[in-house]
């Protein structure tokens, strides 16, 4: 009888555990990269769906963008098409449904509004829109004069939604981007996730923080970011001809609409510059004419203010689009006194 049992022999009929071979470095790296690629692919495919589900604003912008791409100079029944583009000043200042109803017998009015946008967003945004086949008869760009002079853009969202890949070098130069920001814009042009992540974070905050929008509106800086008249008018001299050249290239009419403001904005000087280069500048309310009680926050119009401004805009479109199409003249703008607006309504 043996005195000992060899450790190499199976005991109790249990087979030995299979020997585990360590994962190679190459295999580990490949597994890591595959996992990262799957995560990134999930974010790319999922972020537009998440944002659209979370945000009514995103759904509106997407719908308005798609509609803008289909515009032609005239509708099938012969009405000229008018596209209003701009930022929150357009959203809050012009009652789109009321404007459409007011002009329904003469014009087909559409809107494309993207909040927090400035001149460069819309210069490159209109270039891309027109390159891709949109042809409204008239484009009305709504911007404050300091936004006309601004070098701000909406960041990655601008690069993805409004900047053409062919315009990337020009956008870098005009916005004076550093190399890091420029590379971010380039990647964001092709990436849903990079373009959408900021808005997704904002929408999550809106869901989690009570009255987040009201709080953000209170702390937002609505003051003029370009208030030096020399700088402002110098930028207007550069940018109004750019709009004129864009209009000439694609055979459309571009009008700059300046919304009401409480402070001096040099809009009437900008209007004179526009006349010189053939870009109509509509100043429907001289600076300071609208009192503070027609504003929500000193910057955006409230319901009553937007009602008055929408009425003025409808009248200006009705009487001015034909003149605009023929001559581009906008110097003789008349105003309806605030006290007379309720008469004859």
């Amino acid at each position: 009888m043996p005195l000992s049992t060899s450790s190499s022999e199976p005991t109790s009929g249990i087979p030995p555990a299979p020997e585990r071979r360590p994962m190679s470095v190459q295999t580990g790296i490949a597994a890591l990269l595959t996992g990262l690629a799957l995560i990134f692919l999930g974010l790319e495919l999922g972020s537009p769906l998440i944002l659209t589900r979370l945000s009514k604003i995103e759904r509106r912008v997407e719908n308005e963008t798609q509609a803008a791409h289909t515009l032609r100079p005239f509708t099938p029944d012969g009405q000229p098409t008018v596209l209003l583009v701009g930022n929150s000043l357009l959203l809050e200042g012009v009652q789109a449904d009321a404007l459409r109803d007011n002009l329904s017998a003469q014009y087909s009015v559409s809107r494309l509004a993207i909040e927090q946008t400035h001149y460069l967003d819309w210069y490159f945004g209109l270039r891309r829109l027109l390159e891709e086949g949109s042809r409204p008869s008239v484009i009305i760009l709504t911007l404050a004069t300091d936004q006309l002079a601004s070098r701000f853009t909406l960041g990655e969202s601008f690069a993805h939604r409004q900047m053409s890949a062919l315009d990337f070098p020009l956008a870098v130069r005009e916005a004076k981007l550093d190399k890091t920001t420029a590379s971010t814009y380039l990647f964001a042009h092709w990436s849903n996730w990079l373009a959408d992540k900021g808005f997704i974070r904002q929408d999550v905050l809106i869901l989690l923080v009570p009255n987040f929008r009201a709080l953000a509106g209170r702390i937002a800086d609505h003051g003029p970011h370009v208030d030096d008249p020399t700088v402002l008018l110098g930028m207007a001299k550069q940018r109004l001809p750019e709009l004129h050249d864009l209009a000439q290239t694609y055979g459309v009419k571009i009008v700059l609409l300046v919304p009401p403001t409480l402070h001096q904005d040099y809009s009437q000087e900008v209007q004179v510059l526009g006349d010189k280069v053939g870009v109509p500048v509509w100043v429907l309310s001289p600076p300071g004419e609208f009192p503070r009680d027609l504003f929500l926050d000193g910057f955006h119009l409230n319901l009553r203010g937007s009602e008055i401004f929408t009425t003025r805009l409808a009248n200006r479109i009705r009487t001015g689009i034909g003149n605009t199409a023929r001559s581009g003249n906008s110097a003789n703008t008349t105003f309806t006194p605030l006290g007379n607006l309720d008469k004859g309504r």
Side-chain angles (χ1 to χ4, degrees):
M1 183 175 181
L3 297 177
S4 63
T5 303
S6 170
S7 61
S8 62
E9 295 177 358
T11 59
S12 305
I14 300 175
E19 183 179 348
R20 294 184 178 180
R21 300 179 62 183
M23 182 183 294
S24 68
V25 174
Q26 293 85 353
T27 304
I29 292 174
L32 176 62
L33 292 177
T34 301
L36 291 175
L38 290 174
I39 292 172
F40 185 74
L41 180 62
L43 291 172
E44 279 296 298
L45 297 177
S47 62
L49 300 176
I50 294 170
L51 185 59
T52 301
R53 188 172 184 83
L54 284 177
S55 175
K56 292 181 180 179
I57 294 175
E58 179 62 23
R59 292 195 294 273
R60 175 189 58 75
V61 171
E62 186 65 26
N63 291 336
E64 291 180 354
T65 301
Q66 291 178 4
H69 274 92
T70 67
L71 292 176
R72 295 297 174 264
F74 297 92
T75 62
D77 59 357
Q79 288 186 330
T81 55
V82 179
L83 175 63
L84 280 77
V85 299
N87 49 34
S88 58
L89 292 173
L90 171 60
L91 278 171
E92 301 291 346
V94 177
Q95 298 177 12
D97 290 340
L99 184 67
R100 290 188 191 101
D101 292 343
N102 195 315
L103 297 172
S104 61
Q106 297 164 283
Y107 300 97
S108 174
V109 178
S110 302
R111 182 189 68 185
L112 173 54
I114 302 176
E115 294 174 284
Q116 303 175 55
T117 47
H118 293 72
Y119 171 79
L120 290 179
D121 297 289
W122 285 111
Y123 175 66
F124 289 103
L126 291 177
R127 282 172 64 100
R128 181 173 178 178
L129 191 67
L130 294 168
E131 285 171 6
E132 293 176 353
S134 177
R135 288 293 184 279
S137 182
V138 178
I139 298 172
I140 300 176
L141 172 59
T142 305
L143 290 174
T145 54
D146 66 304
Q147 294 170 343
L148 173 68
S150 170
R151 293 192 183 275
F152 293 162
T153 71
L154 198 51
E156 291 95 335
S157 177
F158 152 73
H160 185 74
R161 193 197 300 273
Q162 293 176 283
M163 182 191 75
S164 165
L166 295 176
D167 282 338
F168 172 69
L170 181 60
V172 170
R173 184 170 72 247
E174 290 296 316
K176 297 189 180 301
L177 303 180
D178 57 55
K179 292 181 179 179
T180 301
T181 306
S183 62
T184 301
Y185 276 39
L186 182 61
F187 289 126
H189 176 74
W190 306 106
S191 169
N192 291 321
W193 168 244
L194 289 177
D196 294 342
K197 59 184 176 62
F199 293 121
I200 292 175
R201 181 171 61 248
Q202 175 180 289
D203 289 331
V204 170
L205 286 173
I206 290 172
L207 291 174
L208 295 179
V209 179
N211 300 318
F212 177 81
R213 282 191 179 281
L215 176 62
R218 286 180 177 275
I219 64 177
D221 178 13
H222 295 312
H225 294 98
V226 181
D227 54 6
D228 183 334
T230 302
V231 174
L232 191 153
L233 295 176
M235 294 301 291
K237 288 179 182 178
Q238 171 190 328
R239 289 176 167 177
L240 290 170
E242 291 175 350
L243 293 177
H244 176 265
D245 291 345
L246 183 61
Q248 291 292 101
T249 299
Y250 290 98
V252 300
K253 302 298 176 183
I254 297 179
V255 175
L256 178 65
L257 173 65
V258 180
T261 180
L262 290 169
H263 58 80
Q264 173 58 264
D265 63 353
Y266 306 99
S267 54
Q268 290 165 317
E269 289 85 348
V270 173
Q271 186 179 61
V272 172
L273 293 174
D275 286 334
K276 290 180 179 179
V277 300
V279 175
V281 178
W282 290 356
V283 183
L284 307 185
S285 168
E289 185 214 10
F290 275 34
R292 184 171 291 274
D293 61 9
L294 293 181
F295 290 83
L296 282 170
D297 49 17
F299 188 64
H300 299 94
L301 294 174
N302 59 22
L303 184 62
R304 177 58 180 149
S306 66
E307 181 182 6
I308 296 170
F309 188 64
T310 300
T311 299
R312 288 189 178 184
L313 178 58
N315 292 336
R316 190 68 181 93
I317 290 173
R318 185 177 290 109
T319 61
I321 287 294
N323 292 333
T324 294
R326 289 191 294 271
S327 65
N329 180 31
S330 65
N332 297 321
T333 300
T334 58
F335 308 108
T336 303
L338 290 177
N340 294 338
L341 281 167
D342 288 324
K343 299 178 181 178
R345 281 175 53 83

